[in-house]
Amino acid sequence: GRVHVAAAEPILSSNVVDDKGIKSQSPSNIVRAIQSHQMCQIFISSYHVEAASRVLGLEHETVRCAVKELGGKFWKPYDAGTQFSFNRHQCRQSIPSNRNELLTVMLHFGHLLAPLVQETHPSWCEWLGCTLTNKVAAIQHATSLEEVEAVKSALQRLFSASDDIVDAVLKTIKARGFD
């Protein structure tokens, strides 16, 4: 893969606030502030969108429209074949076929998708990096868009299936005497 480096202003620990807006220098709040800042700096290529479309079983354009509506920032020019983006033909040739690898590529912008599953899969939402709960309310209106709704439904199916697999494994382990 390619590595893209972004430089930004420093995050001063004296300016970090917790979820309630109170200044806090606790390590977990500092980590959240850094992660939140990093998430805001992420750019998405057609490679990432193509991976997500394959994982979710949706059209490339459906995923791209949804991600854009959710606040995703794309490499410019998107799909122009520059050194910083993949065109659709290059995507098809270079994208992994392994579903686990595709999921990893999609999770590059998982924080944008997290609010879509907050109500149905809160643990996945937290794991995906939805630490800014105020963003959730702002995104709720976007779910009326057909493309966002399609991505939301596909994510819910994906996470429900994953949860079912984990539950089945835990049940099997417990049945064999492990707690």
Side-chain angles (χ1 to χ4, degrees):
R2 296 183 177 170
V3 176
H4 303 282
V5 178
E9 295 295 319
I11 297 173
L12 303 175
S13 61
S14 59
N15 294 337
V16 173
V17 294
D18 64 13
D19 292 338
K20 295 178 180 137
I22 300 169
K23 285 192 176 190
S24 169
Q25 292 185 2
S26 76
S28 62
N29 286 331
I30 293 171
V31 167
R32 262 187 245 128
I34 292 168
Q35 288 174 334
S36 174
H37 186 72
Q38 288 173 327
M39 288 177 201
C40 292
Q41 304 303 316
I42 288 178
F43 281 84
I44 303 161
S45 72
S46 56
Y47 179 82
H48 298 102
V49 174
E50 185 65 24
S53 71
R54 292 182 186 195
V55 168
L56 299 174
L58 299 171
E59 292 294 321
H60 181 99
E61 191 61 18
T62 299
V63 175
R64 189 194 66 74
C65 288
V67 170
K68 183 178 180 183
E69 185 66 26
L70 295 170
K73 296 185 289 186
F74 296 97
W75 283 105
K76 302 288 182 201
Y78 184 81
D79 269 349
T82 68
Q83 67 185 51
F84 299 113
S85 69
F86 286 86
N87 65 37
R88 295 292 303 279
H89 179 68
Q90 288 171 316
C91 267
R92 289 191 178 109
Q93 291 178 340
S94 64
I95 197 158
S97 58
N98 180 290
R99 189 169 167 85
N100 293 331
E101 290 180 52
L102 291 170
L103 184 59
T104 301
V105 174
M106 180 184 84
L107 293 178
H108 174 73
F109 59 89
H111 63 286
L112 294 173
L113 305 174
L116 298 178
V117 295
Q118 184 191 29
E119 292 177 8
T120 58
H121 297 86
S123 59
W124 282 104
C125 180
E126 183 179 347
W127 184 81
L128 287 170
C130 190
T131 57
L132 305 174
T133 52
N134 58 339
K135 279 183 71 177
V136 176
I139 288 176
Q140 291 301 325
H141 81 281
T143 59
S144 62
L145 235 71
E146 184 179 323
E147 293 87 356
V148 176
E149 198 56 49
V151 169
K152 179 179 179 179
S153 295
L155 280 172
Q156 289 173 345
R157 285 191 304 275
L158 175 69
F159 294 146
S160 290
S162 299
D163 288 343
D164 291 347
I165 291 168
V166 169
D167 290 343
V169 169
L170 292 175
K171 184 178 177 181
T172 301
I173 290 171
K174 190 172 184 174
R176 292 186 180 164
F178 296 96
D179 246 345

